[in-house]
Amino acid sequence: MFTNKSKFLLDNPIQMNYGLAITDVDGDGSFELFVAGFNGPNLVLKYNGQGLVNIADEILADAGRQAIGVAAGDIDGDGREEIYVLNTDTFAGRKGFGDCLFDYRDGKWVDLFSLPENQNAINFTAGRSVVCVDRKGTGQYGFFVANYGGPMRLYELNEKGHLVDVAPEVGLDLTTGGRSVISLPLVSDHMDIFAVNEHGRNFLFRNQGDGTFKEMAQMAGIDDPDQNGRGLVALDADGDGRFDLVYGNWLGPHRMYLQGVPGHFKDVAPPDMAIPSPIRTVISADFDNDGYEELFFNNMGEPNRLFAYRAGTWKAIDTGEAWEPDGAGTGAAVGDLDEDGQLTLFIAHGEATVQPITLYSPPENGHAWFRVLPLTERGAPARGSIVTLIGEQQTQRRVIDAGSGYLCQMEPIAHFGLGENPVIKQIEVRWPDGKIAKISSPKANQLIRVPYPSA
């Protein structure tokens, strides 16, 4: 499937990297790749027409803070995403490095946790993943942190503009070995939260509709108490219109939980997908633009795996040059930074050794595509929105990524491959507050930005 195109990474220092996130860092309307540097600086890689170059300033680079997880979201409602960087110098419990929450103010980046009014809110518990959550459907996001050995946190801004942890008051402050987390309308019409954990059961926090949550993983059949979760993704794996869950367990059986009766899941992972591995990030994306998503499993010290939906079943297919049998994979992300309609796979490496980032592209095959970027009322990416594409032969469904499981976050765009049938009957966008917009018969091979409905 994949060809190595890492030569286009023009700035690619050999260092330990972990999480990756795709967001519009410089505010120009295009997206960049934010790289969490662990024993080196954070990077911001931007396409300049020839390749990807690092544009991180000294504040975002934040050298020496040991970053691992990263996610973006508009926490202050100004129409531009803030960037939460999860730092850690220990495996679990109390840590010495606080997290950072970068906000672009008055022409420069500012770490909100460095401000005097936010000092008491700093997260000093070792965490693994972070995701943005619009729990009330207002278009303003909070950042949920999956901590390890301390309570989970949900950071929001209060009426004074100060950072506060609202997890205790909304039912999210549980303690476990936090690893991965995603947020989307999974079992309700609002942004729910699913957290995959280590040395303890998973958490499924169902949004009650008033911004509070109720934990129900055991009831849903996805608590998996004896395994140690890592990469996690939600997709409509069987084409029935409901989102399902795929995640990896570290050296344990990997899962594909299909959602049959709403709110209830069953593991149907085929044997070759379930084979245990030292797994990190799991990605779902239509890399070859054939109209069906593939599943990429990024492993550490073992070959990566790729699965495709063929004739009604999920099967292992050739990974190509992204096999990486000796890769120390720590995180992966997908996006279209050069805006050619073809997704690119980025893989970060670290922990076991220092290795540069790698970049892979699928083959060019002439397949048509369509991309949708929903916006909040204030103009930021509407992460957590659901986009449905109705074609002549099939209906496809995507969620705008709010954070993709382990350490990473994908581009905030619904990418659809159309294969050799480029006819689109309708696009429907559903925002986290339930507002809906419909677009009839758009032309293929374009990116459209969909504003929040005015009425």
Side-chain angles (χ1 to χ4, degrees):
M1 169 73 80
F2 293 106
T3 301
N4 193 325
K5 298 291 183 67
S6 300
K7 64 182 181 181
F8 292 107
L9 292 165
L10 304 182
D11 290 328
N12 192 11
I14 299 176
Q15 63 182 34
M16 288 186 180
N17 298 309
Y18 276 80
L20 306 173
I22 296 177
T23 179
D24 182 5
V25 178
D26 61 3
D28 70 346
S30 296
F31 291 98
E32 291 78 44
L33 178 72
F34 190 102
V35 181
F38 187 76
N39 70 339
N42 301 324
L43 309 173
V44 177
L45 300 181
K46 181 179 183 62
Y47 184 69
N48 69 354
Q50 303 297 321
L52 294 167
V53 296
N54 182 29
I55 64 168
D57 64 13
E58 184 177 355
I59 296 173
L60 290 181
D62 197 30
R65 196 81 77 97
Q66 296 183 329
I68 60 170
V70 58
D74 185 8
I75 193 173
D76 58 5
D78 67 351
R80 184 166 180 167
E81 293 194 306
E82 284 67 50
I83 304 170
Y84 192 109
V85 179
L86 199 158
N87 304 301
T88 190
D89 59 341
T90 187
F91 177 78
R94 180 79 178 178
K95 65 183 180 182
F97 294 132
D99 297 341
C100 296
L101 179 51
F102 296 112
D103 181 17
Y104 195 75
R105 293 183 173 184
D106 301 321
K108 65 180 181 179
W109 288 96
V110 175
D111 173 17
L112 296 184
F113 282 119
S114 72
L115 302 180
E117 62 267 26
N118 297 326
Q119 291 286 301
N120 291 334
I122 297 175
N123 179 37
F124 280 111
T125 302
R128 290 298 180 272
S129 295
V130 57
V131 62
C132 66
V133 183
D134 180 4
R135 65 185 176 94
K136 293 182 178 179
T138 63
Q140 280 188 245
Y141 293 83
F143 287 100
F144 178 87
V145 183
N147 277 332
Y148 198 115
M152 307 286 192
R153 295 177 179 266
L154 177 60
Y155 286 108
E156 295 179 350
L157 292 179
N158 64 16
E159 63 279 359
K160 296 181 179 180
H162 299 171
L163 284 171
V164 291
D165 174 20
V166 301
E169 64 189 72
V170 302
L172 295 174
D173 61 331
L174 301 187
T175 297
T176 188
R179 282 289 183 177
S180 299
V181 60
I182 57 175
S183 181
L184 72 154
L186 180 64
V187 294
S188 77
D189 292 330
H190 313 281
M191 290 189 78
D192 308 306
I193 300 171
F194 180 54
V196 173
N197 301 316
E198 182 171 83
H199 301 309
R201 64 186 183 87
N202 298 332
F203 299 148
L204 172 57
F205 298 105
R206 186 183 192 277
N207 194 317
Q208 300 291 90
D210 59 359
T212 65
F213 297 84
K214 180 180 180 181
E215 203 288 307
M216 53 168 290
Q218 185 176 15
M219 183 184 304
I222 50 177
D223 55 326
D224 211 8
D226 299 320
Q227 298 300 324
N228 300 304
R230 291 296 192 276
L232 163 66
V233 70
L235 75 159
D236 184 0
D238 57 359
D240 68 351
R242 288 185 287 271
F243 284 108
D244 310 301
L245 298 167
V246 175
Y247 66 85
N249 283 312
W250 180 262
L251 300 178
H254 306 322
R255 308 297 192 189
M256 174 177 277
Y257 281 110
L258 296 187
Q259 185 173 191
V261 177
H264 298 273
F265 297 80
K266 180 180 180 181
D267 182 21
V268 298
D272 56 350
M273 183 182 290
I275 295 172
S277 67
I279 195 164
R280 306 298 289 216
T281 307
V282 176
I283 290 176
S284 64
D286 188 355
F287 290 105
D288 58 5
N289 283 341
D290 68 345
Y292 297 92
E293 292 176 279
E294 288 79 46
L295 285 165
F296 178 76
F297 284 23
N298 175 218
N299 292 312
M300 174 178 284
E302 286 188 13
N304 299 322
R305 303 179 192 172
L306 187 65
F307 300 90
Y309 195 64
R310 299 284 188 268
T313 61
W314 285 91
K315 298 179 180 180
I317 63 172
D318 183 17
T319 312
E321 294 180 359
W323 192 50
E324 289 196 349
D326 300 316
T330 50
V334 63
D336 179 17
L337 300 192
D338 60 2
E339 301 176 355
D340 66 351
Q342 193 82 54
L343 294 176
T344 299
L345 172 67
F346 301 91
I347 303 178
H349 307 88
E351 190 165 315
T353 186
V354 290
Q355 292 178 342
I357 302 163
T358 48
L359 182 160
Y360 297 95
S361 291
E364 296 183 7
N365 52 24
H367 286 168
W369 49 272
F370 195 78
R371 290 164 60 78
V372 182
L373 172 54
L375 302 174
T376 66
E377 188 172 8
R378 299 163 184 86
R383 296 185 186 264
S385 298
I386 295 172
V387 183
T388 303
L389 182 149
I390 302 173
E392 283 193 325
Q393 298 179 354
Q394 68 178 124
T395 296
Q396 302 183 54
R397 196 167 182 242
R398 306 281 189 270
V399 61
I400 303 300
D401 191 59
S404 298
Y406 198 52
L407 307 178
C408 299
Q409 187 185 52
M410 310 299 137
E411 63 175 0
I413 293 174
H415 179 96
F416 299 96
L418 300 174
E420 298 177 355
N421 186 0
V423 177
I424 304 169
K425 292 183 176 180
Q426 183 173 275
I427 295 290
E428 179 183 291
V429 179
R430 186 184 188 280
W431 279 262
D433 65 353
K435 290 287 184 65
I436 292 175
K438 296 181 180 181
I439 301 165
S440 298
S441 304
K443 299 295 184 182
N445 298 334
Q446 65 170 321
L447 165 68
I448 63 168
R449 289 172 167 81
V450 184
Y452 181 82
S454 58

